[in-house]
Amino acid sequence: QMRLMESGGGLVQVGGSLRLSCVASGGRFNLNNINVMGWYRQPPGKQRELVATIEHIDTTNYADAVKGRFTISRDSAKNTVYLQMNNLKPEDTAVYFCYTRYSFSNIAWGQGTQVTVAS
């Protein structure tokens, strides 16, 4: 069973930056078979939406709303994925969830970390 633990959320002013981290754990076999890691977010009163993903060969994908401001990266040796968020806007306020798909068909989610951007 894969487990994900996020950290790095908090309160920031408009235009500020935050870096989210997500550490995966749950057995060497699972960790060696991660296909995709990424971040989703759920703004207040809205549905969960894709933010960014990174695949095994470091192919990245971003939502249009965050392109040019957010950067996803991973450290495979530490089983960790990061989300560097720059030039934050009030509409980035949301609970951010770490996500992984492993062994092609298994999915795991973290519990989420709150990001609040104050104007």
Side-chain angles (χ1 to χ4, degrees):
Q1 188 79 4
M2 188 77 78
R3 293 179 297 275
L4 303 175
M5 179 64 70
E6 304 105 333
S7 62
L11 174 65
V12 65
Q13 298 295 312
V14 168
S17 298
L18 283 174
R19 188 175 84 152
L20 305 183
S21 300
C22 172
V23 180
S25 62
R28 181 51 52 191
F29 179 82
N30 288 336
L31 295 172
N32 286 342
N33 286 281
I34 290 176
N35 308 119
V36 182
M37 293 194 77
W39 295 91
Y40 282 68
R41 67 186 182 187
Q42 188 164 11
K46 296 184 179 180
Q47 292 187 334
R48 194 172 297 190
E49 61 188 23
L50 170 73
V51 177
T53 59
I54 185 165
E55 297 186 20
H56 180 64
I57 54 173
D58 289 345
T59 299
T60 58
N61 179 51
Y62 295 93
D64 288 343
V66 307
K67 283 181 181 176
R69 300 188 298 122
F70 291 11
T71 302
I72 190 170
S73 61
R74 65 188 289 181
D75 184 336
S76 297
K78 296 181 179 179
N79 302 310
T80 301
V81 63
Y82 304 97
L83 185 69
Q84 178 66 42
M85 305 185 294
N86 298 328
N87 190 23
L88 283 160
K89 304 176 180 180
E91 52 264 41
D92 295 318
T93 294
V95 179
Y96 284 70
F97 295 90
C98 184
Y99 155 89
T100 186
R101 177 166 54 84
Y102 61 103
S103 299
F104 299 107
S105 60
N106 298 295
I107 293 174
W109 292 93
Q111 291 191 329
T113 185
Q114 177 70 46
V115 171
T116 302
V117 184
S119 57

